[in-house]
Amino acid sequence: MFLIPLLAFPFVFAAAAYRLYTLPRRCIAGTLRLAKPGLTLRTSLTAAAYLGLLAYVVVLPVLAAKVLALGTFNLEAWLGLGPALAGFPVAYIASEWTFYYGFQRPSRHA
């Protein structure tokens, strides 16, 4: 059950880190805008998705380092970390879905 998400974890983690890096840059450059400016539910959900994905990307390596710092191979610690690692692709897909509806690409005129 956890095997496929765990195999996809490194690729999804890299994609999430790239997305977290490029979203603010694209907003500042003007190539990406919020779909509904102002304080709306869509804007709040988009901000919550960004902050949630950022927290997930920061916390997972900290938890993995904590398990590695135990020294000896502790199977219980790795099994406890398994659901968090397996749930990361689901959280990434949910945040991407929110970003798709929360941001608007400006129209390009020739």
Side-chain angles (χ1 to χ4, degrees), residues 38-66:
L39 187 61
T40 62
L41 180 62
R42 188 181 295 184
T43 304
S44 300
L45 288 176
T46 303
Y50 183 84
L51 292 175
L53 188 62
L54 180 65
Y56 217 153
V57 165
V58 169
V59 167
L60 279 180
V62 170
L63 289 176
K66 192 175 176 183

Side-chain angles (χ1 to χ4, degrees), residues 89-110:
V90 176
Y92 176 71
I93 290 171
S95 65
E96 281 295 325
W97 178 74
T98 307
F99 296 154
Y100 180 78
Y101 289 106
F103 289 110
Q104 173 184 357
R105 287 107 195 124
S107 61
R108 299 187 187 237
H109 298 285

Side-chain angles (χ1 to χ4, degrees), residues 70-96:
L70 294 175
T72 61
F73 182 75
N74 190 353
L75 184 61
E76 291 178 14
W78 282 107
L79 288 177
L81 190 58
L85 291 173
F88 184 74
V90 176
Y92 176 71
I93 290 171
S95 65
E96 281 295 325

